[in-house]
Amino acid sequence: MDDPAQKQYLIDHDIPELLNDLVQQLVTAQPAHPVAFLRDFLSQKLPVSGQDMASPELATLMDKMAIEELVKQYALNTDSKNCESSVEMFTDDGVLCSPAGTDQGKAQLLEHLRRVSKTVALGKRHIMTNIVPVVQGTYATCTSYMLVVDAMNRPDVILTASYQDILVKLDGAW
């Protein structure tokens, strides 16, 4: 950034100090959900006034980012066979509908994910794309596409699917 006016704007609004503090807090805490951590950190630092891009717009943007992270983390958990972490993303009465059937509750979900991780998901990479969350307060829907590639042989696309997720925000997290 070479424009002195741009640099001065950042200094006038304490942005360098805010970003340094944000990064320091993030690397110190190393949270499991960094986007949610960033959202919470920024929401504590931002003034709320009618003139700012305050609560509604910023909160919705941060919620969408947190949901996108959740979708991507679910795929990474599948690839690494981290079934327990995936199950923790569901509410206690969460439901998973798939071609293999419908599973509800954490015990059934864990059994399903363990079975899948040892069979059809073995040696695969799950790539999530076109992630479109729609947030309405503490509820959201999210549509996304999944591409599955063979990670053991040729990286051919072997499966495509779409997800229609229903999410709820509990205790400040999706």
Side-chain angles (χ1 to χ4, degrees), residues 21-79:
D21 191 22
L22 176 109
V23 170
Q24 181 62 44
Q25 295 293 325
L26 181 64
V27 297
T28 300
Q30 296 186 6
H33 301 286
V35 173
F37 179 89
L38 294 172
R39 178 195 64 227
D40 293 343
F41 178 88
L42 289 173
S43 68
Q44 293 171 7
K45 296 286 184 181
L46 290 175
V48 178
S49 75
Q51 301 301 320
D52 295 325
M53 183 189 137
S55 295
E57 295 87 359
L58 182 59
T60 299
L61 178 62
M62 297 304 287
D63 284 338
K64 287 181 176 186
M65 290 173 63
I67 291 168
E68 286 185 44
E69 179 186 346
L70 195 66
V71 169
K72 294 172 187 176
Q73 187 61 53
Y74 184 83
L76 289 173
N77 288 348
T78 301
D79 293 342

Short mmCIF file of all heavy atoms in Angstrom, two decimals, residues 21-79:
data_model
loop_
_atom_site.label_atom_id
_atom_site.label_comp_id
_atom_site.label_asym_id
_atom_site.label_seq_id
_atom_site.Cartn_x
_atom_site.Cartn_y
_atom_site.Cartn_z
N ASP A 21 -3.46 -7.48 17.55
CA ASP A 21 -4.11 -8.10 18.71
C ASP A 21 -4.90 -9.33 18.29
O ASP A 21 -4.84 -10.38 18.94
CB ASP A 21 -5.02 -7.07 19.39
CG ASP A 21 -5.53 -7.52 20.74
OD1 ASP A 21 -4.91 -8.41 21.36
OD2 ASP A 21 -6.56 -6.98 21.19
N LEU A 22 -5.62 -9.22 17.19
CA LEU A 22 -6.42 -10.33 16.68
C LEU A 22 -5.54 -11.54 16.37
O LEU A 22 -5.83 -12.67 16.80
CB LEU A 22 -7.17 -9.89 15.42
CG LEU A 22 -7.97 -10.96 14.73
CD1 LEU A 22 -9.46 -10.71 14.93
CD2 LEU A 22 -7.65 -10.94 13.25
N VAL A 23 -4.45 -11.34 15.65
CA VAL A 23 -3.55 -12.44 15.30
C VAL A 23 -2.92 -13.04 16.55
O VAL A 23 -2.83 -14.27 16.69
CB VAL A 23 -2.48 -11.97 14.29
CG1 VAL A 23 -1.40 -13.02 14.10
CG2 VAL A 23 -3.13 -11.62 12.95
N GLN A 24 -2.51 -12.20 17.48
CA GLN A 24 -1.90 -12.69 18.72
C GLN A 24 -2.88 -13.56 19.49
O GLN A 24 -2.53 -14.65 19.96
CB GLN A 24 -1.42 -11.52 19.58
CG GLN A 24 -0.75 -11.97 20.87
CD GLN A 24 0.50 -12.80 20.62
OE1 GLN A 24 1.32 -12.48 19.77
NE2 GLN A 24 0.64 -13.89 21.34
N GLN A 25 -4.11 -13.10 19.62
CA GLN A 25 -5.13 -13.88 20.33
C GLN A 25 -5.42 -15.19 19.61
O GLN A 25 -5.58 -16.23 20.25
CB GLN A 25 -6.43 -13.06 20.46
CG GLN A 25 -6.30 -11.83 21.32
CD GLN A 25 -6.05 -12.16 22.78
OE1 GLN A 25 -6.56 -13.14 23.30
NE2 GLN A 25 -5.26 -11.34 23.44
N LEU A 26 -5.48 -15.15 18.29
CA LEU A 26 -5.76 -16.35 17.50
C LEU A 26 -4.67 -17.40 17.65
O LEU A 26 -4.95 -18.57 17.92
CB LEU A 26 -5.94 -15.97 16.02
CG LEU A 26 -6.26 -17.11 15.07
CD1 LEU A 26 -7.62 -17.73 15.39
CD2 LEU A 26 -6.23 -16.61 13.63
N VAL A 27 -3.42 -17.02 17.51
CA VAL A 27 -2.34 -18.00 17.60
C VAL A 27 -2.12 -18.48 19.03
O VAL A 27 -1.66 -19.59 19.25
CB VAL A 27 -1.01 -17.50 16.98
CG1 VAL A 27 -1.18 -17.23 15.49
CG2 VAL A 27 -0.48 -16.28 17.68
N THR A 28 -2.46 -17.65 20.00
CA THR A 28 -2.35 -18.08 21.40
C THR A 28 -3.44 -19.09 21.73
O THR A 28 -3.17 -20.14 22.31
CB THR A 28 -2.45 -16.87 22.34
OG1 THR A 28 -1.38 -15.97 22.04
CG2 THR A 28 -2.36 -17.30 23.79
N ALA A 29 -4.67 -18.80 21.33
CA ALA A 29 -5.80 -19.67 21.67
C ALA A 29 -5.84 -20.92 20.79
O ALA A 29 -6.25 -21.98 21.23
CB ALA A 29 -7.11 -18.90 21.54
N GLN A 30 -5.44 -20.80 19.53
CA GLN A 30 -5.51 -21.89 18.55
C GLN A 30 -6.83 -22.63 18.65
O GLN A 30 -6.87 -23.86 18.89
CB GLN A 30 -4.31 -22.83 18.70
CG GLN A 30 -3.01 -22.15 18.40
CD GLN A 30 -1.82 -23.08 18.41
OE1 GLN A 30 -1.95 -24.29 18.54
NE2 GLN A 30 -0.65 -22.52 18.23
N PRO A 31 -7.95 -21.92 18.44
CA PRO A 31 -9.26 -22.55 18.62
C PRO A 31 -9.55 -23.57 17.51
O PRO A 31 -9.01 -23.48 16.40
CB PRO A 31 -10.22 -21.37 18.52
CG PRO A 31 -9.49 -20.39 17.65
CD PRO A 31 -8.04 -20.54 18.01
N ALA A 32 -10.43 -24.51 17.82
CA ALA A 32 -10.83 -25.53 16.84
C ALA A 32 -11.61 -24.89 15.69
O ALA A 32 -11.57 -25.38 14.57
CB ALA A 32 -11.68 -26.61 17.51
N HIS A 33 -12.28 -23.79 15.98
CA HIS A 33 -13.09 -23.09 14.97
C HIS A 33 -12.61 -21.65 14.86
O HIS A 33 -13.16 -20.74 15.47
CB HIS A 33 -14.57 -23.14 15.32
CG HIS A 33 -15.09 -24.53 15.44
ND1 HIS A 33 -15.33 -25.31 14.34
CD2 HIS A 33 -15.37 -25.29 16.51
CE1 HIS A 33 -15.76 -26.49 14.74
NE2 HIS A 33 -15.79 -26.52 16.05
N PRO A 34 -11.54 -21.42 14.09
CA PRO A 34 -10.94 -20.07 14.06
C PRO A 34 -11.86 -18.98 13.53
O PRO A 34 -11.79 -17.85 14.01
CB PRO A 34 -9.70 -20.24 13.18
CG PRO A 34 -9.76 -21.58 12.58
CD PRO A 34 -10.78 -22.38 13.31
N VAL A 35 -12.73 -19.29 12.58
CA VAL A 35 -13.62 -18.24 12.05
C VAL A 35 -14.59 -17.81 13.14
O VAL A 35 -14.85 -16.61 13.31
CB VAL A 35 -14.35 -18.71 10.78
CG1 VAL A 35 -15.39 -17.70 10.34
CG2 VAL A 35 -13.35 -18.94 9.65
N ALA A 36 -15.13 -18.75 13.90
CA ALA A 36 -16.03 -18.39 15.00
C ALA A 36 -15.28 -17.56 16.04
O ALA A 36 -15.81 -16.59 16.58
CB ALA A 36 -16.62 -19.65 15.64
N PHE A 37 -14.04 -17.93 16.30
CA PHE A 37 -13.20 -17.17 17.24
C PHE A 37 -13.02 -15.74 16.74
O PHE A 37 -13.16 -14.78 17.51
CB PHE A 37 -11.84 -17.86 17.41
CG PHE A 37 -10.91 -17.15 18.34
CD1 PHE A 37 -10.92 -17.44 19.70
CD2 PHE A 37 -10.01 -16.20 17.87
CE1 PHE A 37 -10.06 -16.79 20.57
CE2 PHE A 37 -9.15 -15.54 18.72
CZ PHE A 37 -9.17 -15.84 20.09
N LEU A 38 -12.69 -15.58 15.45
CA LEU A 38 -12.50 -14.25 14.87
C LEU A 38 -13.78 -13.43 14.95
O LEU A 38 -13.76 -12.24 15.28
CB LEU A 38 -12.02 -14.36 13.42
CG LEU A 38 -10.64 -14.96 13.21
CD1 LEU A 38 -10.38 -15.19 11.73
CD2 LEU A 38 -9.56 -14.10 13.82
N ARG A 39 -14.91 -14.08 14.65
CA ARG A 39 -16.20 -13.39 14.72
C ARG A 39 -16.43 -12.86 16.13
O ARG A 39 -16.78 -11.70 16.32
CB ARG A 39 -17.32 -14.34 14.31
CG ARG A 39 -18.70 -13.71 14.41
CD ARG A 39 -19.83 -14.72 14.36
NE ARG A 39 -19.72 -15.58 15.52
CZ ARG A 39 -19.81 -16.91 15.48
NH1 ARG A 39 -19.99 -17.52 14.35
NH2 ARG A 39 -19.70 -17.63 16.57
N ASP A 40 -16.24 -13.73 17.12
CA ASP A 40 -16.47 -13.32 18.50
C ASP A 40 -15.51 -12.22 18.92
O ASP A 40 -15.90 -11.26 19.60
CB ASP A 40 -16.36 -14.52 19.44
CG ASP A 40 -17.46 -15.53 19.21
OD1 ASP A 40 -18.49 -15.18 18.58
OD2 ASP A 40 -17.29 -16.68 19.65
N PHE A 41 -14.25 -12.34 18.52
CA PHE A 41 -13.25 -11.33 18.87
C PHE A 41 -13.64 -9.97 18.29
O PHE A 41 -13.65 -8.97 18.99
CB PHE A 41 -11.87 -11.75 18.34
CG PHE A 41 -10.79 -10.75 18.62
CD1 PHE A 41 -10.07 -10.81 19.81
CD2 PHE A 41 -10.48 -9.76 17.70
CE1 PHE A 41 -9.07 -9.88 20.08
CE2 PHE A 41 -9.48 -8.83 17.96
CZ PHE A 41 -8.78 -8.89 19.16
N LEU A 42 -13.98 -9.97 17.00
CA LEU A 42 -14.33 -8.70 16.36
C LEU A 42 -15.63 -8.12 16.91
O LEU A 42 -15.75 -6.90 17.04
CB LEU A 42 -14.42 -8.88 14.84
CG LEU A 42 -13.08 -9.09 14.14
CD1 LEU A 42 -13.30 -9.44 12.67
CD2 LEU A 42 -12.19 -7.88 14.29
N SER A 43 -16.59 -8.98 17.23
CA SER A 43 -17.85 -8.45 17.75
C SER A 43 -17.65 -7.77 19.10
O SER A 43 -18.37 -6.85 19.45
CB SER A 43 -18.90 -9.55 17.85
OG SER A 43 -18.56 -10.48 18.85
N GLN A 44 -16.65 -8.22 19.87
CA GLN A 44 -16.35 -7.57 21.14
C GLN A 44 -15.63 -6.23 20.94
O GLN A 44 -15.73 -5.34 21.77
CB GLN A 44 -15.48 -8.48 22.01
CG GLN A 44 -16.19 -9.73 22.47
CD GLN A 44 -15.24 -10.70 23.14
OE1 GLN A 44 -14.08 -10.39 23.37
NE2 GLN A 44 -15.74 -11.88 23.45
N LYS A 45 -14.91 -6.11 19.85
CA LYS A 45 -14.10 -4.90 19.61
C LYS A 45 -14.86 -3.81 18.86
O LYS A 45 -14.48 -2.65 18.91
CB LYS A 45 -12.85 -5.26 18.78
CG LYS A 45 -11.90 -6.20 19.49
CD LYS A 45 -11.15 -5.50 20.58
CE LYS A 45 -10.13 -6.41 21.22
NZ LYS A 45 -9.41 -5.77 22.29
N LEU A 46 -15.90 -4.19 18.13
CA LEU A 46 -16.57 -3.22 17.27
C LEU A 46 -17.57 -2.38 18.05
O LEU A 46 -18.37 -2.91 18.82
CB LEU A 46 -17.30 -3.93 16.14
CG LEU A 46 -16.41 -4.56 15.08
CD1 LEU A 46 -17.25 -5.33 14.08
CD2 LEU A 46 -15.61 -3.50 14.37
N PRO A 47 -17.55 -1.07 17.82
CA PRO A 47 -18.58 -0.23 18.43
C PRO A 47 -19.90 -0.46 17.72
O PRO A 47 -19.94 -0.79 16.54
CB PRO A 47 -18.07 1.20 18.17
CG PRO A 47 -17.21 1.06 16.96
CD PRO A 47 -16.61 -0.32 17.02
N VAL A 48 -20.97 -0.38 18.45
CA VAL A 48 -22.29 -0.55 17.85
C VAL A 48 -22.94 0.81 17.78
O VAL A 48 -23.21 1.44 18.79
CB VAL A 48 -23.15 -1.53 18.69
CG1 VAL A 48 -24.53 -1.67 18.09
CG2 VAL A 48 -22.46 -2.88 18.78
N SER A 49 -23.17 1.26 16.55
CA SER A 49 -23.87 2.52 16.35
C SER A 49 -24.62 2.43 15.04
O SER A 49 -24.35 1.58 14.21
CB SER A 49 -22.90 3.70 16.32
OG SER A 49 -22.20 3.73 15.08
N GLY A 50 -25.56 3.33 14.85
CA GLY A 50 -26.35 3.32 13.64
C GLY A 50 -25.53 3.62 12.40
O GLY A 50 -25.92 3.28 11.29
N GLN A 51 -24.38 4.26 12.55
CA GLN A 51 -23.57 4.65 11.42
C GLN A 51 -22.60 3.56 10.97
O GLN A 51 -22.12 3.57 9.86
CB GLN A 51 -22.78 5.92 11.74
CG GLN A 51 -23.64 7.10 12.12
CD GLN A 51 -24.62 7.47 11.02
OE1 GLN A 51 -24.28 7.44 9.85
NE2 GLN A 51 -25.85 7.79 11.40
N ASP A 52 -22.27 2.64 11.85
CA ASP A 52 -21.31 1.60 11.53
C ASP A 52 -21.97 0.46 10.79
O ASP A 52 -23.18 0.29 10.83
CB ASP A 52 -20.68 1.02 12.81
CG ASP A 52 -19.87 2.05 13.56
OD1 ASP A 52 -19.25 2.89 12.90
OD2 ASP A 52 -19.89 2.01 14.79
N MET A 53 -21.13 -0.36 10.13
CA MET A 53 -21.64 -1.61 9.58
C MET A 53 -21.71 -2.55 10.78
O MET A 53 -20.97 -3.50 10.89
CB MET A 53 -20.69 -2.17 8.52
CG MET A 53 -21.21 -3.43 7.87
SD MET A 53 -19.93 -4.12 6.84
CE MET A 53 -20.11 -5.83 7.28
N ALA A 54 -22.58 -2.22 11.69
CA ALA A 54 -22.59 -2.90 12.98
C ALA A 54 -23.30 -4.23 12.90
O ALA A 54 -23.17 -4.95 11.94
CB ALA A 54 -23.22 -1.99 14.01
N SER A 55 -24.00 -4.51 13.90
CA SER A 55 -24.50 -5.84 14.21
C SER A 55 -25.10 -6.63 13.06
O SER A 55 -24.53 -7.66 12.72
CB SER A 55 -25.47 -5.75 15.38
OG SER A 55 -24.76 -5.34 16.51
N PRO A 56 -26.21 -6.26 12.47
CA PRO A 56 -26.86 -7.21 11.55
C PRO A 56 -26.00 -7.64 10.37
O PRO A 56 -25.85 -8.83 10.12
CB PRO A 56 -28.11 -6.47 11.08
CG PRO A 56 -28.36 -5.42 12.10
CD PRO A 56 -27.01 -5.04 12.65
N GLU A 57 -25.43 -6.69 9.65
CA GLU A 57 -24.67 -7.04 8.46
C GLU A 57 -23.40 -7.81 8.80
O GLU A 57 -23.08 -8.82 8.18
CB GLU A 57 -24.31 -5.79 7.64
CG GLU A 57 -25.51 -5.08 7.05
CD GLU A 57 -26.13 -4.07 8.02
OE1 GLU A 57 -25.64 -3.91 9.16
OE2 GLU A 57 -27.13 -3.44 7.62
N LEU A 58 -22.66 -7.33 9.79
CA LEU A 58 -21.41 -7.98 10.16
C LEU A 58 -21.68 -9.35 10.77
O LEU A 58 -20.99 -10.33 10.46
CB LEU A 58 -20.61 -7.12 11.13
CG LEU A 58 -19.26 -7.69 11.54
CD1 LEU A 58 -18.37 -7.92 10.32
CD2 LEU A 58 -18.57 -6.78 12.53
N ALA A 59 -22.69 -9.44 11.62
CA ALA A 59 -23.01 -10.72 12.25
C ALA A 59 -23.41 -11.74 11.20
O ALA A 59 -22.98 -12.91 11.26
CB ALA A 59 -24.13 -10.54 13.27
N THR A 60 -24.19 -11.34 10.22
CA THR A 60 -24.60 -12.27 9.15
C THR A 60 -23.39 -12.72 8.34
O THR A 60 -23.25 -13.91 8.03
CB THR A 60 -25.66 -11.61 8.24
OG1 THR A 60 -26.81 -11.30 9.02
CG2 THR A 60 -26.06 -12.54 7.10
N LEU A 61 -22.52 -11.79 8.01
CA LEU A 61 -21.30 -12.14 7.26
C LEU A 61 -20.45 -13.12 8.05
O LEU A 61 -19.97 -14.13 7.51
CB LEU A 61 -20.50 -10.88 6.93
CG LEU A 61 -19.18 -11.09 6.20
CD1 LEU A 61 -19.41 -11.72 4.84
CD2 LEU A 61 -18.45 -9.76 6.06
N MET A 62 -20.25 -12.85 9.32
CA MET A 62 -19.43 -13.75 10.15
C MET A 62 -20.11 -15.11 10.32
O MET A 62 -19.44 -16.14 10.32
CB MET A 62 -19.16 -13.10 11.51
CG MET A 62 -18.33 -11.81 11.40
SD MET A 62 -16.75 -12.01 10.56
CE MET A 62 -15.84 -12.90 11.80
N ASP A 63 -21.43 -15.13 10.44
CA ASP A 63 -22.14 -16.40 10.52
C ASP A 63 -21.97 -17.21 9.24
O ASP A 63 -21.74 -18.42 9.29
CB ASP A 63 -23.63 -16.17 10.78
CG ASP A 63 -23.93 -15.79 12.23
OD1 ASP A 63 -23.11 -16.10 13.11
OD2 ASP A 63 -25.00 -15.19 12.47
N LYS A 64 -22.05 -16.54 8.10
CA LYS A 64 -21.87 -17.25 6.82
C LYS A 64 -20.45 -17.83 6.73
O LYS A 64 -20.27 -18.96 6.27
CB LYS A 64 -22.13 -16.31 5.64
CG LYS A 64 -23.59 -16.00 5.45
CD LYS A 64 -23.81 -15.08 4.25
CE LYS A 64 -25.27 -14.85 4.00
NZ LYS A 64 -25.51 -14.08 2.76
N MET A 65 -19.47 -17.07 7.17
CA MET A 65 -18.10 -17.58 7.15
C MET A 65 -17.94 -18.78 8.08
O MET A 65 -17.27 -19.77 7.74
CB MET A 65 -17.13 -16.46 7.55
CG MET A 65 -17.00 -15.37 6.51
SD MET A 65 -16.02 -13.96 7.09
CE MET A 65 -14.43 -14.72 7.34
N ALA A 66 -18.56 -18.72 9.24
CA ALA A 66 -18.47 -19.84 10.19
C ALA A 66 -19.14 -21.08 9.62
O ALA A 66 -18.64 -22.20 9.79
CB ALA A 66 -19.11 -19.44 11.53
N ILE A 67 -20.27 -20.91 8.93
CA ILE A 67 -20.96 -22.05 8.33
C ILE A 67 -20.12 -22.65 7.21
O ILE A 67 -20.01 -23.88 7.08
CB ILE A 67 -22.36 -21.64 7.85
CG1 ILE A 67 -23.25 -21.34 9.06
CG2 ILE A 67 -22.98 -22.71 6.96
CD1 ILE A 67 -24.55 -20.65 8.73
N GLU A 68 -19.52 -21.80 6.38
CA GLU A 68 -18.65 -22.31 5.32
C GLU A 68 -17.49 -23.12 5.91
O GLU A 68 -17.14 -24.19 5.40
CB GLU A 68 -18.10 -21.16 4.47
CG GLU A 68 -19.12 -20.57 3.54
CD GLU A 68 -18.52 -19.52 2.63
OE1 GLU A 68 -17.42 -19.76 2.09
OE2 GLU A 68 -19.15 -18.47 2.46
N GLU A 69 -16.92 -22.63 7.00
CA GLU A 69 -15.83 -23.35 7.66
C GLU A 69 -16.33 -24.70 8.18
O GLU A 69 -15.64 -25.71 8.06
CB GLU A 69 -15.26 -22.54 8.81
CG GLU A 69 -14.16 -23.27 9.54
CD GLU A 69 -13.65 -22.56 10.77
OE1 GLU A 69 -13.95 -21.38 10.96
OE2 GLU A 69 -12.96 -23.22 11.56
N LEU A 70 -17.52 -24.72 8.73
CA LEU A 70 -18.09 -25.96 9.26
C LEU A 70 -18.26 -27.00 8.15
O LEU A 70 -17.90 -28.17 8.33
CB LEU A 70 -19.44 -25.63 9.90
CG LEU A 70 -20.07 -26.66 10.81
CD1 LEU A 70 -19.23 -26.85 12.06
CD2 LEU A 70 -21.48 -26.22 11.19
N VAL A 71 -18.78 -26.57 7.00
CA VAL A 71 -18.96 -27.48 5.86
C VAL A 71 -17.61 -28.06 5.42
O VAL A 71 -17.48 -29.27 5.21
CB VAL A 71 -19.67 -26.75 4.69
CG1 VAL A 71 -19.63 -27.57 3.41
CG2 VAL A 71 -21.11 -26.42 5.07
N LYS A 72 -16.62 -27.21 5.30
CA LYS A 72 -15.29 -27.66 4.87
C LYS A 72 -14.65 -28.55 5.92
O LYS A 72 -14.02 -29.56 5.58
CB LYS A 72 -14.40 -26.45 4.58
CG LYS A 72 -14.87 -25.65 3.39
CD LYS A 72 -14.08 -24.36 3.27
CE LYS A 72 -14.64 -23.45 2.20
NZ LYS A 72 -13.91 -22.16 2.16
N GLN A 73 -14.81 -28.22 7.20
CA GLN A 73 -14.22 -29.04 8.27
C GLN A 73 -14.86 -30.42 8.31
O GLN A 73 -14.18 -31.41 8.57
CB GLN A 73 -14.37 -28.34 9.62
CG GLN A 73 -13.63 -29.05 10.74
CD GLN A 73 -12.12 -29.11 10.50
OE1 GLN A 73 -11.49 -28.10 10.26
NE2 GLN A 73 -11.56 -30.30 10.55
N TYR A 74 -16.15 -30.50 8.03
CA TYR A 74 -16.83 -31.80 7.99
C TYR A 74 -16.19 -32.69 6.92
O TYR A 74 -15.93 -33.87 7.16
CB TYR A 74 -18.33 -31.59 7.71
CG TYR A 74 -19.13 -32.87 7.75
CD1 TYR A 74 -19.57 -33.38 8.96
CD2 TYR A 74 -19.44 -33.56 6.59
CE1 TYR A 74 -20.30 -34.55 9.01
CE2 TYR A 74 -20.16 -34.72 6.63
CZ TYR A 74 -20.60 -35.22 7.84
OH TYR A 74 -21.33 -36.39 7.87
N ALA A 75 -15.90 -32.11 5.77
CA ALA A 75 -15.25 -32.88 4.69
C ALA A 75 -13.84 -33.31 5.11
O ALA A 75 -13.44 -34.46 4.87
CB ALA A 75 -15.21 -32.06 3.40
N LEU A 76 -13.10 -32.41 5.73
CA LEU A 76 -11.75 -32.77 6.20
C LEU A 76 -11.82 -33.87 7.26
O LEU A 76 -10.98 -34.78 7.27
CB LEU A 76 -11.04 -31.54 6.76
CG LEU A 76 -10.61 -30.50 5.73
CD1 LEU A 76 -10.08 -29.25 6.44
CD2 LEU A 76 -9.57 -31.07 4.80
N ASN A 77 -12.79 -33.78 8.15
CA ASN A 77 -12.97 -34.83 9.16
C ASN A 77 -13.26 -36.17 8.50
O ASN A 77 -12.74 -37.21 8.94
CB ASN A 77 -14.12 -34.49 10.12
CG ASN A 77 -13.78 -33.36 11.06
OD1 ASN A 77 -12.64 -32.95 11.20
ND2 ASN A 77 -14.81 -32.84 11.72
N THR A 78 -14.06 -36.15 7.46
CA THR A 78 -14.37 -37.39 6.74
C THR A 78 -13.11 -37.98 6.14
O THR A 78 -12.85 -39.18 6.27
CB THR A 78 -15.42 -37.14 5.64
OG1 THR A 78 -16.60 -36.60 6.26
CG2 THR A 78 -15.77 -38.41 4.89
N ASP A 79 -12.30 -37.14 5.51
CA ASP A 79 -11.07 -37.62 4.88
C ASP A 79 -10.08 -38.17 5.90
O ASP A 79 -9.35 -39.11 5.61
CB ASP A 79 -10.40 -36.49 4.09
CG ASP A 79 -11.22 -36.07 2.88
OD1 ASP A 79 -12.11 -36.83 2.46
OD2 ASP A 79 -10.97 -34.96 2.37
#
